[in-house]
Amino acid sequence: MNKRLRATARRLATGGVFIAALLTAPLVVAKAIRVDDTGTVVSDPVVGMKWKNLVPGRGANHTVEASTRVDLALNLAAWLNKRARVYMVLAPAADTQVMARWSTQGRLLAGSVRSGERALVFDGLVNWATLRESIFLYLQTDGRYLTQVQSLDFYFEIEVTP
């Protein structure tokens, strides 16, 4: 083999060993911890859903929607001056899929989440012992599956990042 071919073979072999080591290295997964949000206040805790279209019919839009303001108070004292990601979690709904969207005043990220999922609302250095933010929450679901009053369970999780 000529010198150039041997050098290329050595680089490939070394790179292959490096890639194999990366693939077999254990993944470091941040542990999600539930955030104390007992200071959070929902301006209207019982919200009536309204039909998006006044007269839903066959083939029509069956969406119902509602909105409310939420004054968040997230106790982040345990993670002060640490890099972290905070997620809003919407627990699974009983009878139907719920979509929630929100806008913020700027401390948190605006976004959306479906029931049973979570969405990133903060990624950075935690500068507050208590993060206070008002969000405007907008909810949507399929009205054909709402047969009774439902309770939505929102909560927050934090993951410390390296």
Side-chain angles (χ1 to χ4, degrees), residues 31-93:
K31 181 182 175 193
I33 301 167
R34 192 160 177 165
V35 173
D36 173 13
D37 63 352
T38 55
T40 295
V41 177
V42 179
S43 65
D44 188 7
V46 179
V47 178
M49 303 291 279
K50 295 185 171 119
W51 291 99
K52 188 168 185 168
N53 292 342
L54 294 178
V55 185
R58 186 174 15 183
N61 185 343
H62 296 281
T63 302
V64 291
E65 52 194 11
S67 60
T68 190
R69 193 183 91 232
V70 181
D71 295 318
L72 297 173
L74 305 180
N75 182 352
L76 302 178
W79 303 281
L80 196 57
N81 299 317
K82 293 185 179 167
R83 292 200 56 76
R85 290 187 181 112
V86 177
Y87 297 88
M88 180 189 292
V89 182
L90 175 55

Side-chain angles (χ1 to χ4, degrees), residues 117-136:
E117 298 176 357
R118 71 182 191 162
L120 183 69
V121 294
F122 177 80
D123 185 3
L125 187 65
V126 176
N127 292 321
W128 318 273
T130 302
L131 189 152
R132 296 188 187 280
E133 173 79 283
S134 292
I135 65 172
F136 184 74

